[in-house]
Amino acid sequence: METITIILFLLLAVVLSGVLSRLLPLNVPRPLVQIALGALIGLAADWRVTLNPEIFFLLFLPPLLFLDGWRIPREELFKDAATIVELALGLVLLTVVGMGFFIHWMIPAMPLPVAFALAAVVSPTDPIAVSAIAQRVPIPKRMMHILEGESLLNDASGLVCLRFAIAAALTGTFSLGDASLNFLWLAFGGLAIGVGVTWAVARMKEWVSDKLGEESASQILISLLIPFGAYLLAEHFHCSGILAAVSAGLTMGWVEGRGHALATTRIRRSTVWDVIQFAANGTIFVLLGEQLPVILMSATETVQLTGHHGPGWLLIYVLAINLGLAALRFAWVWVSFRLTLRRRGEKIRPDWKIVAAMSFAGVRGAITLAGVLTLPLAMASGEPFPARDLAILLAMGVIIVSLVIASIGLPWLLRDLNMPAEAEAGDAEDRARIAAAQAAIVAIGELEHRMGSGRRDADIYVSMAADVMDLYRQRIDRLESNAATIEERRELHSIGRELRLAALKAERTAIYGMRRRREVGTDTARKLIRELDLLEARYAG
């Protein structure tokens, strides 16, 4: 019962964080609110959450990384692939090596492998935390896509580096040659297993659906099991479960792009995954806050590991690590953007505001916390893992300070930020809508001919087909209108959207009123309300 109570309290805190973050007059990021709520729970409650590193890793990371890979726009990922790879791989390696030596130099009591482990866990960035910070100041789409791609890959590369650092700390040895071969096995084995598991499951799902029909609940449950299956299978073969989860997500996006799933399955599945993402990310930050009071209470003992006695030194270390991370990121982003511009033949310098915004957006979040909590509790000999509490405290401090700094600096930098010109996405969307409408008209004509052929009442089919075709022709005429500019079309779309939403609200109110007066049955009212809800989701999205 105690475990169930703890889980319910954590989920309640996640729900309250969403409410409080909107009620607060200041633009406080939701992760900070969740950390504060977790700290209140930790101070007020008598119980403590004992986190098993392996279970924590398994429960939270595979679904989050799988979903990131699934939903990331692949065309945007490939368009800025060079920049993303430079940030996700080059910057991570530079951070692990540079910050590892810096942390060991600053805190000699922390063994070098543990310093590398700490540098590895603070190297991944968290785009969800960035989105929470910039809720009131929209992030340019291209910048967000780069951050998402960087986060997806540096989560994997950072956690793989963490694995090597922990192994070196446990064994006391490190061989660059063995590590390189092991890295290749981890990387390519994990990627292959993730792709293979997802492809095999997708083919099996399609075969069952073709033979027996599709069951939405089963399809959703299978999508939830895929990341865990890929992760566990990869770990069984001593490959990277993290990379397996990422590649499984990317493969899932490609497989689902063929459109085999039913519309109801896609709608319900998207909702389920949104809830899981919200709950998992929120729970991680609440757990961070819940652990914080206990760790801070032992700060006096922890700081003695560094040779100092005042807890204030811990804050100095946290600030120094953040400054080091910021300096490395700013320099690397500037160099990366210079290389990108040179490859395109442009002889201009990167805008310092873009470089600074990308640097401030390097916020640490859920993956950093999940990674540092996976540090072993003990060595192989049974002795406590060296400087584990210190590493966890410093990582938590880095997360909190990076969130606070970004919440102050990022909105200011994003105002009036001019990103490089992009092709107008609205034109591509209009072309897609026109092509879809034309395909629909052809399909309606063919179906009407087959259904009405040889029937006495064929004129009914012709009439109904003409009515439906007219709706699509109106859409095509509206989109192909040369009289309206892009801005005018957007304004017309906005006006039409508001009118439709108002009409749907009036319809829903009328149906609820009829149900209260018992003029329609509950099942009928529920069916009508669901139709209105789907339409509202379409126009409000």
Side-chain angles (χ1 to χ4, degrees), residues 231-491:
Y231 179 89
L232 290 172
L233 187 62
E235 290 295 323
H236 176 74
F237 288 104
H238 305 290
C239 300
S240 172
I242 297 301
L243 285 173
V246 170
S247 63
L250 290 169
T251 308
M252 190 71 171
W254 176 78
V255 168
E256 291 298 317
R258 293 184 289 174
H260 282 285
L262 294 176
T264 53
T265 299
R266 289 194 295 270
I267 293 171
R268 293 170 182 171
R269 187 176 56 195
S270 178
T271 303
V272 169
W273 273 103
D274 285 341
V275 173
I276 289 174
Q277 184 183 45
F278 176 75
N281 275 293
T283 301
I284 289 174
F285 285 109
V286 173
L287 282 173
L288 186 157
E290 191 274 336
Q291 301 284 305
L292 205 55
V294 177
I295 294 177
L296 289 178
M297 282 189 287
S298 62
T300 303
E301 298 177 5
T302 303
V303 76
Q304 291 177 359
L305 295 173
T306 67
H308 300 285
H309 298 283
W313 279 97
L314 294 174
L315 178 60
I316 294 175
Y317 293 146
V318 168
L319 293 175
I321 292 172
N322 271 284
L323 286 173
L325 290 170
L328 283 177
R329 184 172 178 84
F330 186 92
W332 190 269
V333 170
W334 190 85
V335 171
S336 178
F337 281 14
R338 280 294 299 267
L339 292 175
T340 300
L341 292 172
R342 183 172 295 178
R343 282 193 295 266
R344 295 176 180 175
E346 301 179 22
K347 298 181 179 180
I348 58 173
R349 291 189 174 185
D351 186 347
W352 74 268
K353 287 191 72 174
I354 295 177
V355 177
M358 287 291 294
S359 302
F360 272 86
V363 179
R364 275 64 189 177
I367 301 299
T368 293
L369 178 61
V372 76
L373 291 177
T374 61
L375 292 176
L377 297 172
M379 303 287 285
S381 61
E383 298 179 358
F385 190 82
R388 183 178 188 272
D389 288 344
L390 177 60
I392 292 175
L393 195 148
L394 292 176
M396 288 182 171
V398 168
I399 293 171
I400 295 171
V401 171
S402 68
L403 283 168
V404 171
I405 292 176
S407 64
I408 297 172
L410 196 55
W412 174 72
L413 288 168
L414 289 174
R415 290 192 182 95
D416 303 321
L417 182 65
N418 294 318
M419 289 289 287
E422 287 286 317
E424 185 58 54
D427 291 342
E429 181 178 333
D430 288 348
R431 289 194 301 271
R433 290 183 183 276
I434 291 171
Q438 290 171 341
I441 290 172
V442 172
I444 292 168
E446 293 175 352
L447 182 60
E448 175 268 322
H449 180 73
R450 289 199 305 270
M451 294 175 68
S453 179
R455 296 180 62 98
R456 293 182 179 180
D457 56 352
D459 57 328
I460 297 177
Y461 291 91
V462 174
S463 176
M464 289 302 301
D467 289 344
V468 178
M469 287 180 179
D470 285 342
L471 295 175
Y472 285 103
R473 290 194 179 100
Q474 289 174 14
R475 179 194 297 180
I476 294 173
D477 291 341
R478 185 173 65 250
L479 293 172
E480 288 183 336
S481 174
N482 295 323
T485 63
I486 293 174
E487 289 74 15
E488 289 171 341
R489 288 206 302 268
R490 286 177 179 170
E491 184 178 359

Side-chain angles (χ1 to χ4, degrees), residues 208-215 219:
V208 172
S209 298
D210 291 340
K211 296 292 183 182
L212 305 175
E214 182 173 307
E215 187 180 17
Q219 298 288 322

